[in-house]
C-alpha cells in the first residue's frame, strides 16, 4: 500500500488489516508537493494497526525510482513471504494553471503518480505471474477522467493510469491477475483546497475503502474497470463511441464539417472497443 501514511491510504490499510491482510504501509512522509521526508506517518499507521490486533510493517522508500519500488515489494516478500496485491496510492500535487506550469512541476507529478505506479507494479508483476495470482488497484482521479483547472500534470498522470490498467487487465488475464482503477472523491490533505468545505464534509475517506478492499479480494475477478467512489456513491466509468460515419473515399475538410453532427452524435453510442485489439 503506497501513500498509506494518511488520508485515503491510511483508510485502505486500516480496513485491509481489519480484514486479515498483512500490510506493508509505505509512505515517504513528505509534504503535499513531494518535498521532504519522514518516517513518522508510516510508523503511526503501523502502530495503529498493531494496537488493533493487525499485522503491518513500515516502508519509507520512494515509488518514483525502480530501486525504491523494488525495496517496497522486497519488504513484503521478506516480511511475509509473498505479495498478493498492491494499491498504487502514493501521490503529490503541484497545481498550476497550464500557462504557469513549469517542466519541473509537470515531471515531478508524473514521476510519482504514473512512473511510481509503473515501478511498483513492475516490481510485483513477476511474483504475480509466477504464483498465477495478483491484484492491482490504481488510484485514478476524476481530474484525469473529466479534467480540472490547474491540474494538467495531475490529470494527465491519472488518465495515464487508466490506460495502464486497460493493458494490464489484458496481459494479466491468463495469469489470474486483475487490474482496476478507482477514482476517489474524499476529504484529505490532497483535496483540502481543491473543493469547497461543504462538499468535503460529505466525503469522508473511509467511504472509499470498501471498494478498494473488495477489488483486492480473491472473490473479485472483474478487471479493466474504472470506478468512482465517494460520499457513499459508487459507479463505473467507461468510454463510449458514437455510431459515427464511414466515408467511402478520403473526405475533404468540407465533407468532415458537413457531417460533423453525425460523426459526434452520441445518441446511439455503444461501449468503446479497440478496433485493432
Amino acid at each position: 500500500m503506497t501513500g498509506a501514511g494518511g488520508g485515503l491510504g491510511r483508510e485502505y490499510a486500516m480496513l485491509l488489516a481489519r480484514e486479515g491482510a498483512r500490510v506493508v504501509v509505505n509512505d515517504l512522509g513528505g509534504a503535499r508537493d513531494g518535498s521532504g521526508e519522514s518516517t513518522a506517518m508510516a510508523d503511526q499507521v503501523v502502530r495503529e494497526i498493531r494496537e488493533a490486533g493487525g499485522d503491518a510493517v513500515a516502508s519509507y522508500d520512494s515509488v518514483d525510482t525502480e530501486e525504491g519500488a523494488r525495496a517496497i515489494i522486497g519488504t513484503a516478500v521478506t516480511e511475509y513471504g509473498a505479495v498478493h496485491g498492491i494499491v498504487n496510492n502514493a501521490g503529490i500535487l503541484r497545481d498550476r494553471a497550464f500557462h504557469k506550469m513549469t517542466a519541473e512541476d509537470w515531471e515531478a507529478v508524473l514521476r510519482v503518480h504514473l512512473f511510481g505506479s509503473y515501478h511498483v507494479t513492475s516490481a510485483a508483476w513477476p511474483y504475480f505471474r509466477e504464483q498465477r495470482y495478483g491484484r492491482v488497484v490504481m488510484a485514478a482521479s476524476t481530474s484525469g477522467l473529466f479534467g480540472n483547472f490547474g491540474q494538467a500534470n495531475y490529470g494527465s498522470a491519472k488518465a495515464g493510469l487508466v490506460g495502464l490498467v486497460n493493458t494490464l487487465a489484458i496481459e494479466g488475464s491468463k495469469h489470474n491477475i486483475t487490474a482496476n482503477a478507482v477514482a476517489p472523491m474524499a476529504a484529505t490533505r490532497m483535496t483540502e483546497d481543491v473543493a469547497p468545505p461543504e462538499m468535503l464534509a460529505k466525503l469522508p475517506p473511509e467511504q472509499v475503502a470498501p471498494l478498494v478492499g473488495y477489488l483486492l479480494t480473491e472473490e473479485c475477478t472483474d478487471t479493466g474497470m474504472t470506478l468512482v467512489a465517494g460520499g457513499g456513491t459508487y459507479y463505473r466509468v467507461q468510454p463510449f463511441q458514437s455510431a459515427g460515419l464511414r466515408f467511402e473515399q478520403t473526405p475533404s475538410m468540407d465533407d468532415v464539417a458537413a457531417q460533423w453532427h453525425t460523426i459526434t452524435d452520441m445518441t446511439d453510442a455503444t461501449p468503446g472497443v479497440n478496433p485493432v485489439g
Side-chain angles (χ1 to χ4, degrees):
M1 178 77 60
T2 69
L8 287 161
R10 175 188 174 278
E11 294 296 335
Y12 302 159
M14 296 294 291
L15 178 139
L16 289 165
R18 289 195 299 271
E19 294 292 328
R22 293 173 291 182
V23 184
V24 175
V25 178
N26 167 257
D27 203 293
L28 188 61
R32 194 173 70 160
D33 66 358
S35 60
E37 58 185 82
S38 168
T39 63
M41 294 180 70
D43 287 343
Q44 175 61 27
V45 176
V46 169
R47 186 159 46 248
E48 291 180 55
I49 288 174
R50 290 177 176 175
E51 288 175 352
D55 193 348
V57 294
S59 161
Y60 320 112
D61 299 287
S62 177
V63 301
D64 68 357
T65 67
E66 290 184 62
E67 294 76 16
R70 285 199 295 267
I72 294 167
I73 299 304
T75 297
V77 174
T78 299
E79 294 290 333
Y80 299 127
V83 55
H84 298 117
I86 54 176
V87 180
N88 289 301
N89 178 68
I92 65 172
L93 283 181
R94 293 195 182 182
D95 291 358
R96 301 278 192 281
F98 188 67
H99 68 283
K100 295 181 179 179
M101 186 169 291
T102 66
E104 182 182 359
D105 291 332
W106 172 269
E107 292 172 4
V109 170
L110 264 72
R111 278 200 309 270
V112 174
H113 291 274
L114 184 56
F115 283 44
S117 296
Y118 159 74
H119 289 318
V120 174
T121 307
S122 178
W125 203 253
Y127 295 100
F128 290 168
R129 284 173 53 89
E130 182 177 357
Q131 68 199 13
R132 298 193 64 80
Y133 180 87
R135 297 291 183 262
V136 179
V137 178
M138 302 289 189
S141 171
T142 53
S143 294
L145 298 174
F146 308 117
N148 195 31
F149 185 90
Q151 294 193 317
N153 48 6
Y154 183 77
S156 296
K158 293 303 192 181
L161 289 175
V162 173
L164 179 56
V165 158
N166 291 338
T167 295
L168 292 179
I170 295 170
E171 295 189 13
S173 60
K174 64 181 179 181
H175 300 284
N176 192 24
I177 305 169
T178 66
N180 294 284
V182 173
M185 298 183 295
T188 69
R189 69 171 182 160
M190 295 283 281
T191 59
E192 60 189 5
D193 57 3
V194 176
E198 58 272 18
M199 177 184 293
L200 294 176
K202 301 176 183 178
L203 301 173
E206 62 266 21
Q207 291 187 341
V208 181
L211 174 60
V212 173
Y214 176 66
L215 291 173
L216 290 168
T217 64
E218 189 173 359
E219 290 76 19
C220 181
T221 57
D222 286 318
T223 190
M225 290 189 176
T226 299
L227 302 115
V228 178
T233 299
Y234 295 178
Y235 58 88
R236 182 181 177 186
V237 176
Q238 181 178 357
F240 277 70
Q241 61 191 48
S242 69
L245 175 70
R246 177 178 175 80
F247 293 97
E248 296 303 323
Q249 298 179 348
T250 302
S252 67
M253 289 174 57
D254 287 341
D255 292 334
V256 173
Q259 297 296 335
W260 188 246
H261 176 73
T262 301
I263 294 169
T264 60
D265 179 23
M266 299 296 287
T267 302
D268 298 317
T270 57
V273 178
N274 186 349
V276 297

